[in-house]
Every structure is written in C-alpha cells, then in structure tokens.
C-alpha cells in the first residue's frame, strides 16, 4: 500500500510539470504587486494633501496658511492622516516647496506671501523589480498599475530629464525653461519646477544624472 502511495505521488508530480502556466497570472499576481508600490506613494501624497488643507484658510482658523516649506515626516507630520497600518518604510519622501509665482526657478522664504506658489511632491526610487534595465524606465506592469489606481492623472508618473540624449524622455527636449518632467503612461508630461530639481532631497534622489528612475506625484497649491 505504501509503495502505491509513493508511485501515485510521483505520477502527480510528473503530471504537474506538464500543466500550462495560467494565462491570467499577470492579472492575479504581478499587477496587484505593482499596485501595492503605486498605492503606497499615492496614499502618502493624499495624506500630505489633507495635512495641507487642514493648515489652509478657512479650515485652520487663520487668514494665512500655517505650513512651511520642507520635508513632511511620514511617521510624524502625516501620522494622523495616514491609514492605520501604513508602512512608512516604503522609501517615499514628501516635501513642500514655496516658489515665486512669476519665476519657478526661485524659492520664496515667506510661504504665506501672495506671490508664493506652493508645490507638494512625493517621490522615491522605482524598486529594481519594476525597472526595465534596458530602457531605464518603469515596466509596463508598473505603468498599468498606476493607470488602474489613478486613471489619467497626469501629475503622477516617473521623473525624466528633458534632454534629447536621454532615451527615457523619448528624445523629448521639452520646454527650454525646464530640466525635468513627470512622464505618465500616455507620454503626457508635467514639468517639474527647476527650483525643485535643484534643491532639497529631490535634487540628490531623483535629479542627478546617474540616479535610478523615481516615481513622482506632484500637486500645486495657489
């Protein structure tokens, strides 16, 4: 009896090697994994937007905004705005930049000034698993995951240098006034202000020529 059980088990193992791979494997396994990465960044950016709104008139009970430029700590500033159990070790950074409305190359010290344009940006490296090493761009799985979660939101994508020699930008030289842009699934681009590119943690994480590609989500505030 024992020998027959061993033989039966062996036959089942042999048969399993001949089974075809499921045709929907990407849909049921790979795409959900990619959506987890995108969702982490999106959740953090939306929490930061709630943080901003609560410090903007009239919600903050003041005539002026009560937030400043700088990095928003995921486990400090944003703690009350993130869902319970959110993992702040996802590698994403959230920053506020205050720029001059008439010149996005310049920062402005007083974020409450009527001349200020404020930018909220969350960014982080694309995990190696989701980076196409031959083109140095996100894989189609990651791009599709972003579309599943955000639809056609052009403020989300990956950072590219606007340089005709940069293959990831598709040879797009862009607007001569800008160095980088957020490129989405449909090849639409949203420019990243030069002040953001040149300053803060973004400059060392995503803007250097030899950096890995970054996922980026940008929201402007008047």
């Amino acid at each position: 009896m024992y020998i027959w059980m061993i033989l039966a088990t062996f036959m089942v193992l042999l048969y399993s090697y001949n089974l075809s791979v499921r045709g929907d494997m990407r849909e049921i396994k790979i795409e959900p994994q990619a959506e987890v990465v995108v969702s982490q960044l999106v959740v953090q950016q939306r929490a930061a937007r709630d943080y901003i709104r609560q410090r903007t008139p009239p919600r903050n009970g003041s005539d002026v905004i009560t937030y400043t430029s700088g990095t928003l700590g995921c486990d400090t500033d944003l703690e009350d705005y993130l869902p319970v159990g959110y993992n702040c070790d996802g590698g994403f950074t959230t920053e506020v930049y205050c720029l001059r409305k008439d010149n996005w190359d310049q920062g402005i010290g007083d974020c409450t000034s009527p001349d200020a344009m404020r930018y909220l940006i969350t960014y982080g490296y694309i995990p190696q698993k989701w980076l196409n090493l031959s083109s140095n761009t996100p894989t189609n799985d990651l791009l599709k995951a972003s579309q599943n979660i955000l639809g056609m939101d052009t403020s989300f994508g990956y950072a590219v240098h606007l340089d005709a020699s940069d293959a990831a930008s598709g040879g797009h030289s862009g607007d001569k006034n800008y160095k980088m842009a957020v490129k989405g699934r449909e090849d639409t681009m949203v420019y990243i202000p030069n002040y953001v590119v040149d300053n803060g943690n973004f400059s060392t994480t995503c803007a250097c020529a030899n950096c890995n590609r970054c996922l980026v989500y940008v929201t402007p505030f008047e």
Side-chain angles (χ1 to χ4, degrees):
M1 183 66 179
Y2 178 74
I3 293 176
W4 284 111
M5 290 179 63
I6 296 295
L7 287 174
T9 302
F10 181 69
M11 293 299 294
V12 169
L13 288 173
L14 286 178
Y15 177 73
S16 67
Y17 282 113
N18 293 320
L19 294 176
S20 61
V21 177
R22 288 188 57 155
D24 59 353
M25 186 59 67
R26 305 196 81 83
E27 182 179 347
I28 65 172
K29 184 177 181 181
I30 298 177
E31 288 178 14
Q33 290 176 354
E35 288 177 4
V36 169
V37 176
V38 175
S39 294
Q40 282 185 303
L41 187 147
V42 171
V43 166
Q44 192 163 317
Q45 176 77 351
R46 288 178 175 172
R49 291 195 323 215
D50 290 340
Y51 173 95
I52 293 290
R53 292 190 184 100
Q54 290 300 321
R55 288 159 179 78
T56 301
R59 290 189 180 186
N60 62 353
S62 174
D63 294 332
V64 296
I65 64 166
T66 51
Y67 61 89
T68 60
S69 60
T71 302
L72 297 180
C74 178
D75 53 1
T76 53
D77 301 300
L78 304 183
E79 182 180 16
D80 294 336
Y81 304 93
L82 289 166
V84 176
Y86 178 83
N87 180 15
C88 280
D89 295 329
F92 297 115
T93 301
T94 300
E95 294 178 330
V96 177
Y97 291 86
C98 298
L99 316 177
R100 296 194 61 84
K101 282 184 179 179
D102 57 354
N103 187 348
W104 291 359
D105 287 355
Q106 295 182 7
I108 189 168
D110 182 10
C111 290
T112 66
S113 169
D115 296 326
M117 180 75 177
R118 293 162 286 272
Y119 269 85
L120 177 67
I121 180 168
T122 298
Y123 57 88
Y125 287 135
I126 298 170
Q128 200 77 0
K129 178 179 180 178
W130 307 109
L131 189 65
N132 186 323
L133 297 181
S134 61
S135 63
N136 199 25
T137 60
T139 62
N140 287 332
D141 292 316
L142 191 66
L143 293 175
K144 186 173 181 181
S146 67
Q147 187 176 27
N148 290 344
I149 292 172
L150 288 164
M152 297 300 293
D153 190 335
T154 57
S155 297
F156 177 89
Y158 61 101
V160 296
H161 292 268
L162 294 176
D163 183 345
S165 65
D166 186 349
S169 71
H172 189 319
S173 59
D175 187 317
K176 64 181 181 180
N177 296 317
Y178 298 97
K179 302 174 183 178
M180 296 188 72
V182 177
K183 185 175 181 180
R185 177 178 169 84
E186 303 301 327
D187 282 342
T188 55
M189 289 194 178
V190 174
Y191 296 124
I192 302 173
N194 286 340
Y195 186 83
V196 176
V197 174
D198 295 334
N199 294 275
N201 293 326
F202 185 89
S203 64
T204 55
T205 302
C206 303
C208 63
N210 296 321
C211 289
N212 289 330
R213 292 291 165 185
C214 280
L215 289 177
V216 182
Y217 198 164
V218 178
T219 303
F221 292 92
E222 289 284 350

